[in-house]
Amino acid sequence: MVRMEPNAKIRQADLPSLEILRYPDPRLKEVCTPVDAVDESVRALVERMFELMFASRGVGLAAPQVGVSVRLFVASPTFEPSDRRVYINPRLTVLEGTQEGDEGCLSFPNIYCKIKRANLATIAAVGLDGAEFQETGEGLTARIFQHEMDHLDGRLLVDRMGTVAKLANRRLLHSLKDQFAAR
Ligand SMILES: [Zn+2]
């Protein structure tokens, strides 16, 4: 039996060369494993993820989207540079009500579609300080929580699309597949 070093996946990542993976990269379909401990490697990965997220004008980014399949995501629902939220080993504890609105994803550039989500979501997670916390989000924040949690289980925007949304975005989805095949 091989004992994996804690956070080995994170330490193996070459941070400067990380980029946001696009559909249909198979790494986006992986079910992520928990982060062992909040150490320097986690802080460095989080820093790099915020850089990539803000540069791409995103409000949320999950670690598997940069090819590191661990359970953590970052978010900035207000898109303010000072609004930097980090969720390590998160889990949704309460989902209430419904909202239906346009949702996009940095791994699906230019695709937006109506997706039904809970309007209120409570998340329990560990922060960068290593302490557990809870946060309740409403509207967009709740949508981000649910979208990023999906990523950690390898569930993507395309898996949430209804038939109509899939048809409406057929061409864009095809072009993403072509671009991936041509890399
Ligand atoms: Zn996404």
Side-chain angles (χ1 to χ4, degrees):
M1 200 173 94
V2 179
R3 198 162 164 273
M4 281 272 278
E5 203 190 319
N7 291 349
K9 277 188 203 171
I10 301 174
R11 290 214 186 84
Q12 276 160 18
D14 176 37
L15 296 182
S17 71
L18 291 186
E19 53 182 16
I20 298 175
L21 307 180
R22 292 181 173 189
Y23 173 81
D25 194 306
R27 286 172 286 177
L28 291 169
K29 298 294 294 173
E30 280 179 39
V31 175
C32 300
T33 53
V35 172
D36 302 299
V38 182
D39 60 14
E40 200 42 56
S41 69
V42 174
R43 282 186 282 273
L45 172 64
V46 160
E47 192 59 39
R48 179 69 178 131
M49 284 172 61
F50 273 122
E51 227 175 74
L52 290 166
M53 186 195 80
F54 280 116
S56 308
R57 311 206 58 76
V59 290
L61 183 68
Q65 288 182 280
V66 298
V68 185
S69 59
V70 294
R71 304 189 78 81
L72 93 82
F73 71 87
V74 300
S76 178
T78 59
F79 200 68
E80 291 288 335
S82 59
D83 181 17
R84 293 155 63 98
R85 310 187 196 185
V86 181
Y87 306 86
I88 298 163
N89 298 339
R91 54 183 209 281
L92 289 168
T93 55
V94 183
L95 292 171
E96 274 174 27
T98 54
Q99 58 170 317
E100 194 164 350
D102 278 329
E103 194 166 311
C105 177
L106 292 175
S107 297
F108 291 80
N110 302 318
I111 294 182
Y112 298 92
C113 51
K114 291 238 179 303
I115 292 187
K116 200 184 264 184
R117 298 282 191 186
N119 191 47
L120 211 71
T122 300
I123 204 163
V126 172
L128 270 189
D129 58 0
E132 184 144 354
F133 67 96
Q134 275 208 21
E135 188 185 333
T136 298
E138 198 181 349
L140 175 65
T141 306
R143 181 175 290 281
I144 295 171
F145 288 170
Q146 294 163 83
H147 178 102
E148 304 308 333
M149 288 300 297
D150 272 354
H151 274 299
L152 304 186
D153 291 321
R155 205 175 299 119
L156 301 175
L157 198 61
V158 69
D159 304 317
R160 292 280 186 195
M161 280 183 190
T163 316
V164 175
K166 265 188 198 153
L167 276 174
N169 290 291
R170 192 177 58 224
R171 223 165 266 163
L172 285 164
L173 287 168
H174 270 296
S175 114
L176 281 172
K177 281 182 184 165
D178 288 345
Q179 284 169 37
F180 184 75
R183 286 174 325 150

